[in-house]
Amino acid sequence: MFRSRLAAAAVTATMAGGAVVGIAPLAMAAPAAAAASACVSDLQAAQTSNNAAIAADQASDPAGARSHDVATATYLAAAIGDCQGQPQVVGANVLTANATNATALVYNLLGAASAALGAEQATASAITQALANAT
């Protein structure tokens, strides 16, 4: 009788240990909220700045839009480097956003807010597409 109790205790201890070993990795494997990559952070900052430039152009404030276009260009320049290793479509959209933002900046330097607005909307579209594919 002593052996059967000892065997039952050994089986119970083994099963309990196996449950802990099996459950512990599952608990540790649950990831916390994933931090945004540098690429995504740059694109989000560029999007925020570009949205401010759009608002400034809609208010016929080319000087204000120009400063936001410069900030957008800075974020997009950082995104060129930080988005290396992302899907090719991300890089293509970052380059498109850079080109259309540069166009908007030139239009705002010339005081042509309505023309700049179209370029900034194209920039917004390219940034949105890049964000949709970036990780």
Side-chain angles (χ1 to χ4, degrees):
M1 179 146 162
F2 180 71
R3 285 187 189 191
S4 62
R5 286 186 183 173
L6 184 60
V11 168
T12 302
T14 302
M15 289 176 60
V20 169
V21 170
I23 292 171
L26 293 177
M28 293 185 338
S37 69
C39 175
V40 171
S41 295
D42 291 341
L43 291 171
Q44 288 171 335
Q47 186 176 44
T48 300
S49 179
N50 189 62
N51 287 342
I54 289 171
D57 274 329
Q58 288 172 335
S60 298
D61 178 16
R66 184 172 51 244
S67 68
H68 291 297
D69 285 338
V70 170
T72 302
T74 303
Y75 294 124
L76 289 172
I80 290 173
D82 290 338
C83 292
Q84 295 294 323
Q86 293 286 332
Q88 189 172 10
V89 68
V90 174
N93 282 303
V94 169
L95 292 176
T96 300
N98 268 299
T100 55
N101 184 65
T103 302
L105 181 57
V106 169
Y107 282 136
N108 277 318
L109 284 169
L110 297 173
S114 62
L117 181 59
E120 288 160 354
Q121 289 169 336
T123 302
S125 175
I127 293 171
T128 300
Q129 291 176 21
L131 278 168
N133 294 288
T135 56

